[in-house]
Amino acid sequence: MTTVPAIHEADALVRRFETVRGLSLALAAPLSDADATVQSMPDASPAKWHLAHTTWFFETFVLRDHVPGYRLHHDRWPFLFNSYYEAEGARQARDARGLMTRPTLDEVRGYRAYVDAALVLALPDLPGAARALVELGCRHEEQHQELLQTDILHLLSRNPLEPALWPPAPKTPVAMPGPTGWIEGREGPVEVGHSGAGFAFDSEGPRHTVWLQPHALADRTVTNQEWFAFIDDGGYRDPRHWLSEGWAWVRSEEVEAPLYWQKRDGGWTRFGLDGRRAIDPAAPVTHVSLYEADAYAAYAGARLPTEAEWESAAAAHDPAGGNQLDAAGPVEPRPSPGGPAFFGDVWEWTGSAFRPYPGFRAVEGAVGEYNGKFMSGQFVLRGGSCATPRGHVSASYRNFFAAHQRWQFTGVRLARDL
Amino acid sequence: MTTVPAIHEADALVRRFETVRGLSLALAAPLSDADATVQSMPDASPAKWHLAHTTWFFETFVLRDHVPGYRLHHDRWPFLFNSYYEAEGARQARDARGLMTRPTLDEVRGYRAYVDAALVLALPDLPGAARALVELGCRHEEQHQELLQTDILHLLSRNPLEPALWPPAPKTPVAMPGPTGWIEGREGPVEVGHSGAGFAFDSEGPRHTVWLQPHALADRTVTNQEWFAFIDDGGYRDPRHWLSEGWAWVRSEEVEAPLYWQKRDGGWTRFGLDGRRAIDPAAPVTHVSLYEADAYAAYAGARLPTEAEWESAAAAHDPAGGNQLDAAGPVEPRPSPGGPAFFGDVWEWTGSAFRPYPGFRAVEGAVGEYNGKFMSGQFVLRGGSCATPRGHVSASYRNFFAAHQRWQFTGVRLARDL
Amino acid sequence: MTTVPAIHEADALVRRFETVRGLSLALAAPLSDADATVQSMPDASPAKWHLAHTTWFFETFVLRDHVPGYRLHHDRWPFLFNSYYEAEGARQARDARGLMTRPTLDEVRGYRAYVDAALVLALPDLPGAARALVELGCRHEEQHQELLQTDILHLLSRNPLEPALWPPAPKTPVAMPGPTGWIEGREGPVEVGHSGAGFAFDSEGPRHTVWLQPHALADRTVTNQEWFAFIDDGGYRDPRHWLSEGWAWVRSEEVEAPLYWQKRDGGWTRFGLDGRRAIDPAAPVTHVSLYEADAYAAYAGARLPTEAEWESAAAAHDPAGGNQLDAAGPVEPRPSPGGPAFFGDVWEWTGSAFRPYPGFRAVEGAVGEYNGKFMSGQFVLRGGSCATPRGHVSASYRNFFAAHQRWQFTGVRLARDL
Amino acid sequence: MTTVPAIHEADALVRRFETVRGLSLALAAPLSDADATVQSMPDASPAKWHLAHTTWFFETFVLRDHVPGYRLHHDRWPFLFNSYYEAEGARQARDARGLMTRPTLDEVRGYRAYVDAALVLALPDLPGAARALVELGCRHEEQHQELLQTDILHLLSRNPLEPALWPPAPKTPVAMPGPTGWIEGREGPVEVGHSGAGFAFDSEGPRHTVWLQPHALADRTVTNQEWFAFIDDGGYRDPRHWLSEGWAWVRSEEVEAPLYWQKRDGGWTRFGLDGRRAIDPAAPVTHVSLYEADAYAAYAGARLPTEAEWESAAAAHDPAGGNQLDAAGPVEPRPSPGGPAFFGDVWEWTGSAFRPYPGFRAVEGAVGEYNGKFMSGQFVLRGGSCATPRGHVSASYRNFFAAHQRWQFTGVRLARDL
């Protein structure tokens, strides 16, 4: 799973583990038992399930497999909280996760405490391979922290009362971004993919050479203001902009704007974790599908970047910079104060299908099911979002979703051939 | 709605109202916020929704319409908790009731308290028509009390942990019922339907004459023991017993036994509000669809009763007798101690489609949508069940469900032509 | 199947058989091989299938079962052309009938000739029971003659070219019918259902007493002119008129007018076997569902007749009168020249669910599957239509369709309580 | 559409046009009117539609747009026979193509004759751009010739009689291929994509550099014999081999073998245009999905080639060689007589998503919708099949289908990293 596992000192790894585990609880703190239980669509999971599944990961792959004498917290819970690991046996159907009103949210918190205590106790004596699994489990939990936020946002958006989970963050006025600038990319052979000592998911490697054609990338992502113009120009009604599948999707789903947008009193609003509010025209557009991103690019006479172009450009930037998640609260893309940024705010759709890199091999065993088996029917996104725990992404990080999905904080950066 | 509204003394009506309202809370007492929120299928509603919808009924048709100066508890909640009254405007889609994690169960309890206080305060001054609506609201809430139990049973049945809501009731050993006896019915003109001073739902009248052919009804309902034999004889695999729609249903749903039955260690078990337990062979079979009831009757060389035959026979029996709901707890059909009984234990499928009686006219206004508009695609059931609040049903009471539905406590009484 | 089978002289039965068989071929004469093969919806069958299935009926139940030494025309064809007789074994799925491009229409005509020759040869020596099956087969084929016409009409209606199968019939101007008159019905016990020497389908008996309440029936069916007013009055947009299932159907199917109606240049047109033409306001409305019929009745302050009311009134009329099918050609409901008529033009929806009469028992064997197993989820229609072979219907004849179906020639007669 | 249009001499182009048009008629010659009309699934089109749509292409883009005074054969037919060109206006829904029993097959043949005559007459005076469209129309028709064969095969496979369209071809005994050999591929920068004077579809260019990693390709495709072993080893029942989407597909569709395979009397058979016959173990496996191809590769410890690896290796081979379509008849993959072959027999799934090449731009106008808008949700296949008209494919040709589709002649070549 990890191409080069990170070897941690025990103390540091304990602190890392406790920090990650604590953030999950903080993100779920304002949730009621019911909020944490309901599943609003098959693509989303209940918050309670995220809290339990991430715990199951540590319990299964670290405690059960590496700690002699460890006793499962509950015999039947692995059935409930296995996500998709076929090697781990039968499990609750994905679209029926929301039927589990028991165990309660508090019982799941108890599960977390039980496993956390066992793991912190065991960690100093764990072999290196197991410590690598702890680090993997932390990374895995960070992924679910982002999903927990976007899944709960989706759930609350389906409530006619449109409840806010958090009070709104104070807004700092930011000047409207100027016209898009273009950053000329490298041409010829470049190396992409992870290598070296740091942590990476299996799909990020091996590092390998690709050949880039002459191209440029936009120096910022597309703004809400620009999206208003796309809508006003009939962008959602003109089939010439759209991929064939995208056009079928627009018509069957009656899509007219990004997800969570509604017109109220003549102006566009969006729903967020702080409720329904006016849209900031200067902020990056978000909650758009690959289809919308691709159609916008066609409308703008441009195209989406490939993942290699993106990575090649982003490698020079700080992956821990920008608007990413530092603490529980009302995340939202924000207008950029200026200067090119590649990380944070919104995941950027690329035009690249999520496929294995040359030389990719899945790890043996259940953990090996991590990414490889999802390598069909998905597009790669890059760069992290306002809901991504800071420190989680890097230039080589490959996120992926299906072309119609848009409940993540997804956005658009344009590219063009030179 | 009421053909002849019952005029109550204020004090008696207040006591009646408080009793009914109290029972709903007692039924929901063991539920967590999540238990009360999740919707396990489109046919079922969340317990919280039942608690709020019955409250909305009083708030809308009594307080809003008849109490000057009454202020709605919350402006948007009527949208959430209107069930199907088109005249009352737009409403939350039926299959999306389970997405409303807010208001919480406690907030809904607060809604109940607010409306209850207002109604008890207003009741002494209410005109007769409004008092009749209070009585109707109590009857309406009794219906939802039964649904609350069957809906929560369905939800818990979908949880792999199969949690029990209540401890099991103590079992009193009862002798196995003997062979079915046959009660000869009346022949020629008989009167059916409600008339007189008591309460009745609109669909129970007008009282009118029907002509019965020579027939007999079984003196008890079909037992689990008899159903074991039906299964063992291949009843679910022989198309000759089945209605065409029923056979299609058996095959597409892969039905092999009543709902909630599972074979464990070679014996049949059922899931109930007290968890999964062995089936009592002497008890009436329940959780069967009209299709299964009809197929069993064909297999047994009999048929289902018509609703007029049933009512004609049941009129001589005490509708408040038998195994009906007296208090919150683990309801379940029980073996009969002997003697013909027509009320309680299981709703008995009849072979009659739910259609209006001659001379039926819907009441004007929103309340008039009560039953009339459901008079297609449903079959009539009679007699009440173990989950029906005692006092709710009468010989003329018409319950109705679609032919494939079986999450209610539904059972089978045979009939035959003479 | 036949309650009292008709015993024919052999010669007369041969003539009867040949007449019926000839009409089917005439009805199909203008069809191409493709017209006769395509299935336009699961409810409809290809014309070729009708021609072959009716032949299979004679081959199976008469020749195979009663003629020693008869050799099947083709071993595999019974699999193709069995409709729904479970006792006759596996068969082509109903919704896949349109995939059978082979055998060709000409080969099916050859099948007909082969079976016809064998049957005419064998008929003089057939025992009475077999002769009764020949008569049943003729009745069965008459039913399919009507379906053949309505199924091909549906198919052609889905073709953007809207091809006409036949040239239009000459129109005789008829005065607009006056306001609806009301015929007072009988009250008290009346007998309905078939008895006596003539042919009848199993579901038409036994004859039995029913008790009618005071009521009246309209002296004619609802006209297109009246339906225009229903549409103009917003009938399709007002939920108060509709059954709950009907309202859901109107909205999900976006129904705004009877099937095959379209507004062209400001006026309503309909599609028929003679192509798309202007609607005659004086003619009976047709191609309406039970939902529409029921909603219209509610809008008109009336209700639909029960099947017993209808039969009681119709018994005095000539079932062979009115606008019924005499020969292949462009059938269509026509304005009545005057006087009450109960037969022909349009099948009249009743408010009665299709359920067995008291004392009904299915015939033993495969033929016994004829009607009984369809006795759920359907409403009864009475009186025959312009597409019903003259002589086929009687006062006791019970047709049945699901509440949403409307590709038959279905119409509306009003009733009211007195 | 053509990156570099081929300029033909008029005479040669007329001969080319007539040859192509003649082959379509020959392929359809054994079809009845019904065979040519029915649509067996939404992915397939009726043969009649293929014959008419290819004609519409010439009529619209050549005759209508470039021949002054040309009169459409029929005003409404463009609505019927436009496939997906949004710029050409509304059209018959794709899944309703099979409802058009009119025009008849003979009328469509008349349409072809009318358009052919007009085009041959006009061709000598057409400008170069229009001649390029004639060549494009011929290429387009060749694509539909392949689909016509695979669509009719699918239709006949759904007929319980399993009719053969053609007599079987004589079989030449061929020795079983030996073990797979491996051809080492080029490493480092290589050029792929079309350039130069010949014809190519828009998606084949621009020619550009890609960087290949060390790898080898199998010297032949996977055989039926090898697929028997995959089945016997439980390949269809072991989730470890499968992409997640593929595993869901296997289970929901209950896939156990390639399409058209059935076990009869203990041995595998396949259905083909010559009916159902025993499978030749030495022939390439065909009618497998991308999911199956990928799972087989995982099972075999290998992977699928990328399209660039394939093209780089295939460029040295004769694209007009191998088992491709020369004349109407019973096409089928055949055992290879020896030596590596890259063209014919089966389309080879690659692991590459169908996405635009760097610098790709869609042509302006309706013809520009040709390939670009399908560039999501599909995988690339290479090399042509036994049903591909010889001369149609080249090393740079990119075919594409969705990962679950397998009614084309699709097969598998393995690759591995070095």
Side-chain angles (χ1 to χ4, degrees), chain C residues 7 11 40 50 66 68 74 117 128 136 144 154 175 179 194 209 236 251 258 272 290 335 357 360 376 402-403 418:
Chain C
I7 306 301
D11 281 4
S40 59
H50 286 299
H66 294 278
H74 191 296
L136 177 63
H144 281 276
H154 186 266
H194 176 80
T209 304
Y236 282 94
R251 287 194 298 180
L290 178 278
Y357 281 164
F360 171 81
S376 70
L418 293 182

Side-chain angles (χ1 to χ4, degrees), chain A residues 237-303:
Chain A
R237 298 190 304 274
D238 187 340
R240 289 175 307 162
H241 306 321
W242 295 80
L243 288 162
S244 182
E245 289 185 336
W247 185 239
W249 172 81
V250 160
R251 288 194 298 181
S252 72
E253 303 297 310
E254 302 179 5
V255 178
E256 299 182 332
L259 189 64
Y260 305 138
W261 284 33
Q262 279 185 21
K263 221 158 194 171
R264 295 272 170 94
D265 305 323
W268 284 109
T269 65
R270 58 70 181 158
F271 182 70
L273 290 171
D274 54 355
R276 181 158 298 284
R277 301 187 181 277
I279 288 177
D280 182 345
V285 71
T286 191
H287 297 306
V288 293
S289 67
L290 178 280
Y291 296 133
E292 289 166 285
D294 188 87
Y296 182 87
Y299 155 84
R303 61 170 174 81

Side-chain angles (χ1 to χ4, degrees), chain C residues 304-318:
Chain C
L304 298 179
T306 66
E307 61 169 325
E309 289 167 349
W310 191 97
E311 182 171 336
S312 166
H317 294 262
D318 177 12

Side-chain angles (χ1 to χ4, degrees), chain B residues 37-291:
Chain B
T37 299
V38 171
Q39 181 173 29
S40 60
M41 63 171 170
D43 285 344
S45 294
K48 200 170 68 181
W49 189 90
H50 286 299
L51 295 175
H53 165 69
T54 49
T55 305
W56 166 86
F57 190 97
F58 288 110
E59 181 178 60
T60 301
F61 297 122
V62 180
L63 295 174
R64 185 200 64 181
D65 288 356
H66 294 279
V67 178
Y70 175 77
R71 289 185 53 184
L72 291 181
H73 179 258
H74 193 297
D75 281 351
R76 289 287 290 163
W77 290 19
F79 180 91
L80 306 183
F81 299 124
N82 175 6
S83 52
Y84 53 68
Y85 296 82
E86 299 280 352
E88 291 294 326
R91 60 201 170 280
Q92 178 76 345
R94 179 177 179 139
D95 61 1
R97 287 175 184 166
L99 297 176
M100 298 185 293
T101 59
R102 317 286 181 91
T104 66
L105 176 55
D106 279 342
E107 287 167 341
V108 165
R109 289 197 185 103
Y111 179 34
R112 291 181 68 90
Y114 176 90
V115 165
D116 287 2
L119 197 138
V120 168
L121 192 68
L123 200 143
D125 301 324
L126 286 180
R131 290 192 191 185
L133 287 165
V134 173
E135 174 59 23
L136 177 62
C138 289
R139 298 281 173 166
H140 170 256
E141 183 145 350
E142 286 174 339
Q143 295 180 314
H144 281 276
Q145 286 166 349
E146 180 150 9
L147 294 172
L148 188 154
Q149 295 169 85
T150 52
D151 290 355
I152 200 75
L153 174 57
H154 187 264
L155 170 63
L156 296 178
S157 79
R158 299 295 314 276
N159 189 323
L161 301 180
E162 297 196 320
L165 198 65
W166 303 99
K171 295 267 182 188
T172 318
V174 172
M176 199 69 191
T180 302
W182 295 94
I183 312 167
E184 199 162 325
R186 277 197 286 162
E187 182 184 343
V190 302
E191 293 215 324
V192 294
H194 176 80
S195 79
F199 173 91
F201 284 102
D202 54 355
S203 62
E204 296 179 48
R207 191 162 176 84
H208 63 284
T209 303
V210 298
W211 189 283
L212 298 187
Q213 312 301 320
H215 72 282
L217 300 189
D219 65 351
R220 59 167 176 80
T221 52
V222 173
T223 62
N224 289 318
Q225 179 77 53
E226 289 164 331
W227 209 268
F228 296 158
F230 176 59
I231 293 174
D232 290 345
D233 288 352
Y236 282 95
R237 296 190 305 272
D238 187 340
R240 289 174 308 162
H241 305 321
W242 295 80
L243 288 163
S244 182
E245 288 185 339
W247 185 240
W249 172 80
V250 160
R251 289 193 298 179
S252 73
E253 304 296 310
E254 301 178 7
V255 178
E256 299 181 333
L259 189 63
Y260 306 138
W261 284 32
Q262 280 184 21
K263 223 159 195 170
R264 296 270 171 96
D265 305 323
W268 284 110
T269 64
R270 59 70 180 155
F271 182 71
L273 290 170
D274 55 354
R276 180 159 297 283
R277 299 185 181 279
I279 289 177
D280 182 344
V285 71
T286 190
H287 297 307
V288 293
S289 67
L290 177 280
Y291 296 132

Side-chain angles (χ1 to χ4, degrees), chain C residues 47 64 99 161 182 258 324 374:
Chain C
R64 185 199 65 179
L99 296 176
L161 301 180
W182 295 93
Q324 298 188 53
F374 299 108

Side-chain angles (χ1 to χ4, degrees), chain A residues 10-23 54-55 58 62-63 112-113 115-121 123 134-135 137-138 141 145:
Chain A
D11 280 4
L13 187 55
V14 166
R15 280 195 302 277
R16 160 88 169 133
F17 173 75
E18 290 179 334
T19 301
V20 168
R21 299 289 284 171
L23 179 56
T54 48
T55 305
F58 288 110
V62 180
L63 295 173
R112 292 180 68 90
V115 165
D116 288 2
L119 198 138
V120 167
L121 192 66
L123 202 142
V134 174
E135 173 61 23
C138 290
E141 182 144 352
Q145 286 167 350

Side-chain angles (χ1 to χ4, degrees), chain C residues 30 32-35 37-40 76-77 79-80 92 98-103 155 158-161 163 165, chain D residues 30 32-35 37-40 76-77 79-80 92 98-103 155-156 158-161 163 165:
Chain C
S32 69
D33 182 29
D35 290 338
T37 299
V38 172
Q39 181 172 29
S40 59
R76 289 286 290 162
W77 290 21
F79 180 92
L80 306 183
Q92 178 77 344
L99 296 176
M100 297 186 292
T101 58
R102 317 288 181 94
L155 170 64
R158 298 296 313 276
N159 189 323
L161 301 180
L165 199 65
Chain D
S32 71
D33 182 29
D35 290 338
T37 299
V38 171
Q39 180 172 30
S40 60
R76 288 288 289 164
W77 289 21
F79 180 91
L80 306 184
Q92 179 76 345
L99 297 175
M100 298 186 292
T101 59
R102 316 288 180 93
L155 170 63
L156 296 177
R158 299 296 313 276
N159 189 324
L161 301 180
L165 198 65

Side-chain angles (χ1 to χ4, degrees), chain B residues 321-340:
Chain B
N323 177 17
Q324 300 188 52
L325 183 74
D326 292 306
V331 299
E332 183 178 20
R334 291 196 297 259
S336 172

